[in-house]
Amino acid sequence: MADPAIRSLRPDDLMECADVFYDALDQLSVERHQAPWPMNAEPMVRLYARLLASHPTGGAMAEHAGRAIGFAIAVERQRSWFLGFLFVRPAHQGRGIGRRLLEQVLPTGGVDAWLADGGVLATCAEAVQPVATGLYASYGMRPRDPISMLVGSPRPGALRRLPRSIEALPFALVEDDLGATALAELLEPLDVAAVGYRRDVDHAADRGEGRQGVLYRDRRGGQVRGYGYAQPSGRLGPATATDPELLEPIVRDLIERVPVSGAWQLVVPGASAAMTGLLHAGLRLD
């Protein structure tokens, strides 16, 4: 079989990327003796488009006989590079296509120059995929922090409330009072402390998707203490705080502020101070 062609990803390729994504997930479900994932391509395509728009040179597609058989999407934020997606159809796995796709989307200027300039390489991978995890580790992306998916609805009153000293202000109110530029400046130190870079483009995209942002600050003095997002679909986050003990109260405030028809879904780092409280409140590991 001839080697597949690897080329840059285009916006009109994204529905094919979703097809590759679900094809690969279906095979994983078979291997795990689980039911297939429900296919919902529309939100996946929106996510791919969001990432590609923020870093147009960060996408690659593998093709064979005119058909998409694999794709990768990565983003760069200042000196942080993150691999968001890398999937290959099951029938074409084990041939080095994943490595070729990864190399196509590695940081601008090459890995060595990126790292020498203080850059970071990162991704998120399932522990049940040792081949992928080994591939990423071979490029320096070693396992570091466990990430858990929590789902469900917390028992009423089980999560701690915000301290009386903290006020919660929807982003829209802050913008009306201070302006959009001032809000961005308030969020910058929180984001730099949490992930190492400004997230202006991500905040714009989060709000464009209907997420409701809330700023948390001291009532006296106005010091910004954190922020968080929630949306009616049940997705909560990102959320961060200067004091880790504020994360649980922030989650409670967001949940009480945004009504949802079903369960909540949170992606939580294992080291998060909120993990114990969330599990105690009735959310479960998915």
Side-chain angles (χ1 to χ4, degrees):
M1 184 181 295
D3 287 340
I6 307 292
R7 63 167 176 81
S8 297
L9 193 62
R10 301 187 298 259
D12 58 357
D13 294 323
L14 301 184
M15 186 57 73
E16 288 187 276
C17 291
D19 188 58
V20 172
F21 174 76
Y22 284 109
D23 192 9
L25 285 186
D26 284 348
Q27 180 61 34
L28 284 173
S29 298
V30 170
E31 293 173 358
R32 300 177 192 176
H33 305 287
Q34 297 175 341
W37 277 48
M39 186 171 180
N40 188 3
E42 183 178 344
M44 297 307 303
V45 170
R46 287 201 304 268
L47 177 56
Y48 302 154
R50 167 179 170 170
L51 298 178
L52 193 61
S54 70
H55 184 46
T57 61
M61 173 172 280
E63 290 181 318
H64 176 71
R67 184 184 185 219
I69 61 171
F71 76 100
I73 302 177
V75 293
E76 292 180 13
R77 297 285 188 272
Q78 296 177 12
R79 300 310 298 165
S80 292
W81 176 94
F82 185 84
L83 178 66
F85 293 91
L86 176 54
F87 286 89
V88 177
R89 292 190 189 275
H92 296 270
Q93 293 174 4
R95 298 172 50 205
I97 297 171
R99 184 178 293 274
R100 290 179 62 196
L101 285 166
L102 175 60
E103 291 179 345
Q104 183 78 8
V105 300
L106 283 170
T108 303
V111 171
D112 291 343
W114 184 264
L115 296 176
D117 196 29
V120 174
L121 301 177
T123 191
C124 183
E126 290 187 299
V128 295
Q129 298 189 50
V131 174
T133 303
L135 171 62
Y136 305 146
S138 71
Y139 286 83
M141 292 175 276
R142 297 177 298 276
R144 186 179 67 174
D145 293 323
I147 306 292
S148 299
M149 179 77 76
L150 301 187
V151 297
S153 299
R155 295 188 307 276
L159 296 173
R160 290 185 284 112
R161 289 185 178 277
L162 282 172
R164 293 183 180 274
S165 60
I166 302 295
E167 63 177 347
L169 300 171
F171 282 3
L173 292 181
V174 178
E175 284 185 330
D176 288 344
D177 185 29
L178 303 176
T181 300
L183 174 60
E185 295 301 319
L186 292 173
L187 297 176
E188 178 185 4
L190 294 168
D191 288 329
V192 171
V195 295
Y197 53 87
R198 288 184 66 125
R199 299 185 62 253
D200 298 35
V201 64
D202 299 302
H203 286 298
D206 285 341
R207 299 178 72 184
E209 293 174 355
R211 302 191 194 194
Q212 299 183 35
V214 181
L215 186 74
Y216 299 90
R217 69 182 186 185
D218 289 327
R219 293 185 185 276
R220 302 179 72 175
Q223 181 182 7
V224 175
R225 303 297 301 279
Y227 76 80
Y229 283 97
Q231 60 184 9
S233 68
R235 290 185 178 270
L236 192 148
T240 187
T242 57
D243 179 356
E245 294 303 315
L246 280 176
L247 284 172
E248 182 182 326
I250 285 175
V251 169
R252 172 171 174 163
D253 180 76
L254 291 167
I255 285 175
E256 292 179 344
R257 187 177 295 274
V258 179
V260 296
S261 57
W264 286 96
Q265 183 183 86
L266 297 77
V267 178
V268 185
S272 172
M275 178 69 82
T276 300
L278 294 170
L279 292 172
H280 180 73
L283 292 171
R284 67 184 185 278
L285 293 167
D286 184 26

